[in-house]
């Protein structure tokens, strides 16, 4: 169990080589958490990768081996304490060496690293992390299908709104920890609410190393610090407690996201406190139930399966889930911190969103993302890192998937904001070719049932009854008003209307001589205004639609204003129509909320890093 407050960071440097056996010739300072690409670019003086096509200067790093190294003096390990190297995330395949001795070799960026260094300590020590090149199922084509046999987000391999930049490196909190020989490895507080929600039976499970003879003392504190439940017993023996009239956790639009403080103390045989674990928990019951009217469909013969449940029921109350699809807000996830998450989540709350779908093409976010969603009262639909590929049934892939998924579930299941587990994005489609008989999805369902049975599970999005699309204002001879008014779905889990970015963003990423008029083959295309999706030359600029309604655009400002108006009115039409379709429809999530780099045109409501598009203001989502 890795806790931020007692991680001692280290001073790292980074070098690279063409193969595993060759030692790097030069090293440069490394930022941890971070990414190898940003460290090398900083050391070699690369220009801003957000501007023009500068990101292409970094793609050569895909096929290099990178070595992080650091040196430190052995700390005093008094009273039998142990020194551990810990990391919350290293991307993607790596080896760890200590004083020249191999310690572990692993694949997977979401499984934490915990390695005891004490037996190998010397007065002066060298720690090395060797990161392998970007994993690729095949050399060509260089697209998302290269990621179809790894548990690594596919988005970095190139998407219609994400340049091809595949992150590598130490991307989450990493450093040294001093631990008692007897220490905890996990504490899980779970509960079962009474059917009428008037009380809760609590279950406290603690796991540890060398804890024979140790005891655990647990208590639950309310916001005022009053103890509302407590229990004590040997470590490893489940503790039980009862709580009457718990205050429930709600989304911000339905009530207050009330949380309690769980405090577990590890006591040695003499009653001395060795360790203390505190975390915030919330009492809530989340279910996915059938939408009103769906059991009666199809109405006639021949019969087939009804639509999948898509109505969220929170604490016995059906709620309309209105929100957005969340993609990683940085090209390099190692750059994310709590302040960045909080800024964007606050914007989502201001839009009166109550759910974010954490899309399967991207990362599983850091702890601070979920902690802030807990605090602010916004639900998270969490997908595993599978998207738009046919992931294999072979034993190696399944073993890594099980390792990674287990780590993800164990880390996130304690958060009251967690609303839905989902296998991944668009897997039951002809471009992915998976079905509910595919072993990766059967495995994920089984793991979620075993480790987190209280949270609903969907194999993918969309399922039957749900809808992805449309993503343009005008498509196949119909505008969005005609399309949405003729739609009938239980949940609109992806839909998009593109808009051009504000001038202040465009001027930072497009050379002045290319700003107007927008043309293919320029920075407009590099930033996904042209040829980004489905062979459509004008996506995401959608200039023909703008001209259809407003005529030729004489200036850049005129083009921005009219494009923004279409985006805002299109989004407003979909959100409002989805609400009108209640209670048959229970969910509307636009594609997407933010983006990881500044696009020239996109479906997002917020342009990188946190600039609201005019459509964000036009949308009167608060009503």
């Amino acid at each position: 169990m890795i806790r931020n407050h007692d991680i001692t960071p280290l001073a790292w440097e980074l070098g690279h080589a063409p193969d595993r056996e060759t030692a790097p010739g030069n090293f440069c300072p490394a930022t941890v958490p971070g990414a190898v690409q940003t460290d090398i670019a900083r050391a070699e003086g690369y220009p801003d990768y957000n501007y023009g096509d500068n990101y292409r200067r970094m793609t050569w790093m895909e096929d290099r081996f990178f070595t992080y190294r650091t040196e430190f003096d052995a700390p005093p390990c008094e009273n039998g304490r142990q020194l551990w190297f810990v990391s919350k995330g290293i991307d993607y395949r790596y080896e760890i060496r200590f004083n020249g001795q191999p310690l572990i070799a692993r694949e997977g960026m979401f499984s934490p690293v915990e390695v005891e260094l004490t037996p190998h300590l010397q007065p002066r020590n060298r720690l090395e992390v060797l990161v392998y090149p970007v994993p690729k199922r095949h050399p060509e084509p260089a697209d998302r299908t290269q990621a179809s046999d790894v548990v690594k987000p596919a988005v970095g391999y190139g998407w219609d709104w994400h340049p091809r930049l595949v992150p590598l490196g130490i991307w989450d909190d990493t450093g040294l920890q001093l631990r008692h020989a007897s220490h905890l490895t996990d504490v899980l507080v779970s509960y079962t609410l009474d059917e009428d929600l008037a009380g809760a039976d609590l279950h406290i499970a603690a796991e540890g190393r060398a804890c024979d003879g140790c005891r655990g003392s647990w208590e639950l504190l309310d916001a005022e610090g009053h103890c509302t439940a407590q229990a004590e017993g040997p470590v490893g023996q489940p503790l039980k407690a009862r709580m009457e009239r718990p205050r429930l956790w709600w989304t911000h639009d339905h009530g207050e996201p009330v949380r309690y403080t769980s405090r577990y103390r590890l006591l040695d045989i003499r009653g001395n406190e060795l360790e203390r674990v505190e975390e915030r928990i919330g009492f809530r019951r989340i279910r996915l139930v059938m939408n009103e009217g769906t059991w009666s469909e199809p109405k006639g013969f021949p019969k087939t399966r009804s639509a999948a449940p898509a109505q969220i029921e929170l604490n016995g109350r059906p709620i309309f889930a209105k929100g957005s699809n969340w993609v990683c807000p940085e090209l390099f996830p190692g750059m994310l911190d709590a302040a960045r998450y909080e800024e964007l989540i606050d914007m989502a709350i201001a839009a009166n969103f109550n759910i974010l779908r954490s899309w399967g093409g991207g990362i599983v976010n850091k702890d601070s993302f979920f902690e802030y969603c807990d605090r602010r009262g916004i639900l998270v639909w969490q997908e595993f890192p599978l998207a738009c590929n046919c992931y294999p049934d072979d034993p190696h892939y399944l073993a890594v998937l099980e390792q990674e998924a287990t780590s993800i579930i164990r880390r996130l299941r304690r958060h009251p904001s967690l609303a839905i587990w989902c296998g991944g994005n668009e897997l039951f489609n002809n471009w992915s070719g998976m079905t509910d008989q595919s072993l990766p999805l059967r495995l994920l369902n089984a793991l979620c049932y075993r480790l987190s049975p209280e949270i609903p599970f969907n194999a993918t999005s969309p399922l039957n009854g749900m809808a992805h699309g449309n993503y343009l204002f005008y498509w196949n001879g119909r505008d969005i008003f005609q399309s949405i008014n003729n739609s009938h779905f239980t949940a609109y889990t992806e839909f998009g209307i593109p808009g051009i970015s504000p001038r202040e963003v465009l001027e930072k990423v497009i050379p002045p001589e290319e700003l107007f008029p927008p043309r293919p083959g320029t920075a407009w295309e590099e930033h996904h205004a042209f040829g980004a999706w489905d062979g459509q030359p004008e996506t995401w600029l959608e200039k023909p639609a703008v001209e259809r309604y407003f005529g030729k655009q004489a200036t850049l400002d005129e083009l921005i204003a009219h494009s923004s108006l279409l985006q805002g009115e299109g989004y407003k039409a979909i959100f409002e129509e989805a609400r009108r379709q209640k209670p048959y429809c229970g969910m509307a999530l636009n594609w997407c909320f933010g983006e990881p780099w500044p696009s020239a045109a996109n479906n997002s409501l917020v342009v990188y890093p946190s600039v609201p598009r005019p459509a964000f203001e036009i949308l009167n989502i608060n009503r």
Side-chain angles (χ1 to χ4, degrees):
M1 182 170 54
I2 302 175
R3 296 181 297 282
N4 289 345
H5 67 273
D6 54 3
I7 294 179
T8 301
L10 295 161
W12 296 88
E13 54 184 3
L14 179 72
H16 60 89
D19 53 60
R20 179 179 175 275
E21 288 71 29
T22 302
N26 297 294
F27 283 83
C28 66
T31 299
V32 173
V36 300
Q37 289 94 336
T38 54
D39 289 331
I40 298 298
R42 187 183 307 111
E44 298 187 2
Y46 285 18
D48 179 11
Y49 58 80
N50 291 312
Y51 187 83
D53 64 353
N54 288 342
Y55 73 92
R56 294 182 181 274
R57 297 179 180 227
M58 305 167 84
T59 57
W60 63 269
M61 301 184 208
E62 288 184 6
D63 301 315
R64 305 288 287 183
F65 286 78
F66 290 87
T67 298
Y68 287 88
R69 74 181 184 188
T70 184
E71 294 189 354
F72 62 91
D73 293 328
C77 296
E78 300 170 342
N79 301 318
R81 292 205 173 192
Q82 302 170 342
L83 184 67
W84 289 70
F85 171 66
V86 299
S87 177
K88 289 186 174 182
I90 303 174
D91 185 9
Y92 171 73
R93 183 183 172 193
Y94 54 91
E95 299 176 15
I96 297 175
R97 305 166 182 161
F98 188 56
N99 293 328
Q101 177 178 341
L103 294 184
I104 64 169
R106 183 180 288 173
E107 174 181 346
M109 64 180 290
F110 298 112
S111 297
V113 176
E114 300 180 70
V115 183
E116 187 187 355
L117 303 181
T118 319
H120 316 290
L121 273 176
Q122 300 175 9
R124 185 70 177 169
N125 300 275
R126 171 174 287 187
L127 182 64
E128 297 173 300
V129 179
L130 174 67
V131 178
Y132 280 59
V134 169
K136 302 173 185 177
R137 188 171 190 174
H138 46 73
E140 298 292 339
D143 60 16
R144 69 184 183 225
T145 61
Q146 290 180 318
S148 63
D149 66 346
V150 291
V151 192
K152 179 174 172 65
V155 69
Y157 291 76
W159 223 264
D160 55 86
W161 43 271
H162 192 297
R164 184 181 173 95
L165 277 175
V166 192
L168 291 173
I170 304 175
W171 75 281
D172 210 343
D173 296 312
T174 296
L176 301 177
Q177 277 188 344
L178 276 173
R179 300 177 175 180
H180 289 281
S182 300
H183 60 267
L184 297 168
T185 56
D186 194 25
V187 177
L188 176 65
V189 180
S190 57
Y191 55 85
T192 303
L193 284 165
D194 297 346
E195 189 60 31
D196 62 0
L197 308 176
D201 292 317
L202 293 108
H203 316 273
I204 304 93
E207 301 172 7
R209 291 188 176 94
C211 287
D212 290 346
C214 294
R215 296 182 66 80
S217 176
W218 174 83
E219 57 184 345
L220 188 68
L221 308 176
D222 64 16
E224 290 73 37
H226 302 133
C227 181
T228 61
Q230 57 188 342
E232 185 170 334
V235 175
Q237 174 181 304
L239 305 180
K240 296 182 180 180
R242 173 72 182 174
M243 184 177 180
E244 303 296 341
R245 296 180 297 280
R247 296 184 62 198
L248 300 178
W249 185 94
W250 290 94
T251 54
H252 67 93
D253 54 334
H254 282 265
E256 184 182 351
V258 176
R259 294 183 298 161
Y260 292 76
T261 299
S262 165
R263 178 181 295 161
Y264 187 97
R265 298 187 303 133
L266 176 65
L267 309 176
D268 67 15
I269 195 169
R270 292 177 294 277
N272 298 315
E273 182 177 310
L274 300 177
E275 188 175 359
R276 178 180 297 194
V277 175
E278 290 191 4
E279 60 182 342
R280 306 296 295 276
I281 69 170
F283 292 94
R284 57 89 180 92
R285 185 169 64 208
I286 192 93
R287 290 172 173 168
L288 268 182
V289 300
M290 292 292 284
N291 298 57
E292 186 171 317
T294 51
W295 276 127
S296 63
E297 293 181 348
K299 298 185 184 304
F301 287 99
K303 293 289 187 181
T304 185
R305 183 177 178 178
S306 297
Q311 173 64 65
I312 290 179
E313 183 186 275
L314 178 62
N315 300 329
R317 179 188 302 172
I319 69 170
F320 187 81
K322 50 188 179 296
S324 192
N325 282 265
W326 178 277
V327 302
C328 184
E330 292 286 350
L331 292 179
F332 301 104
M335 299 171 64
L336 287 167
D337 58 17
R340 184 88 171 90
Y341 282 132
E342 291 173 13
E343 179 183 29
L344 292 171
I345 293 170
D346 283 344
M347 295 178 72
I349 297 290
N352 206 31
F353 287 158
N354 61 15
I355 188 169
L356 296 170
R357 175 182 172 232
S358 188
W359 173 70
I363 66 162
V364 179
N365 285 284
K366 297 181 179 181
D367 292 336
S368 52
F369 170 84
F370 293 92
E371 289 163 2
Y372 202 62
C373 288
D374 293 345
R375 175 181 162 189
R376 292 307 311 272
I378 190 164
L379 297 171
V380 179
W381 166 324
Q382 181 60 57
E383 300 191 349
F384 292 95
L386 288 72
C388 300
N389 278 317
C390 187
Y391 294 89
D393 291 349
D394 73 75
H396 175 76
Y397 173 78
L398 292 173
V400 178
L401 179 63
E402 181 170 8
Q403 165 203 296
E404 292 285 86
T406 299
S407 296
I408 292 166
I409 296 168
R410 288 174 66 92
R411 177 168 68 94
L412 303 188
R413 61 187 174 180
R414 61 196 75 233
H415 289 282
S417 57
L418 180 64
I420 298 171
W421 292 116
C422 183
N425 177 71
E426 295 181 1
L427 302 176
F428 291 177
N429 305 87
N430 61 357
W431 51 86
S432 294
M434 299 183 75
T435 72
D436 51 12
Q437 297 305 309
S438 298
L439 293 187
L441 297 178
R442 293 178 63 187
L443 171 65
L444 291 174
N445 194 354
L447 290 172
C448 288
Y449 175 75
R450 178 165 60 87
L451 299 173
S452 181
E454 76 286 355
I455 302 299
F457 176 86
N458 282 335
T460 188
S461 180
L463 292 172
N464 52 311
M466 304 175 186
H468 277 199
N470 190 8
Y471 301 96
L472 297 171
F473 189 91
Y474 193 85
W475 175 255
N476 286 341
R478 297 197 304 172
D479 61 31
I480 193 61
F481 306 115
Q482 296 167 301
S483 298
I484 187 63
N485 288 344
N486 291 321
S487 296
H488 183 67
F489 292 97
T490 57
Y492 298 90
T493 47
E494 274 191 26
F495 54 86
I497 303 292
I500 299 176
S501 294
R503 174 184 275 272
E504 64 182 280
V505 174
L506 298 175
E507 289 178 343
K508 292 179 180 178
V509 300
I510 297 177
E513 66 274 12
E514 296 180 1
L515 267 175
F516 191 80
R519 298 182 306 277
T522 67
W524 283 89
E525 184 167 350
E526 294 287 357
H527 288 259
H528 297 106
F530 292 97
W533 171 70
D534 200 30
Q536 302 297 313
E538 296 287 347
T539 55
W540 297 111
L541 183 64
E542 207 181 1
K543 189 177 176 183
V546 177
E547 293 180 349
R548 176 183 181 86
Y549 294 95
F550 301 103
K552 295 287 185 180
Q553 310 297 292
T555 67
L556 177 60
D557 290 328
E558 194 174 87
L559 178 60
I560 293 172
H562 290 157
S563 171
S564 299
L565 180 60
L566 285 187
Q567 185 183 37
E569 292 301 318
Y571 269 139
K572 184 189 297 185
I574 302 172
F575 273 109
E576 291 183 349
E577 177 59 26
R579 285 198 296 263
R580 277 194 292 269
Q581 293 178 11
K582 297 189 302 183
Y584 183 86
C585 176
M587 191 179 300
L589 315 175
N590 86 289
W591 180 273
C592 54
F593 186 72
E595 57 189 19
W597 82 322
S599 64
N602 194 7
N603 302 86
S604 62
L605 294 172
V606 178
V607 187
Y608 182 86
S610 54
V611 181
R613 294 185 189 273
F616 191 83
E617 309 299 335
I618 293 173
L619 278 174
N620 191 4
I621 304 173
N622 287 294
R623 285 193 309 193

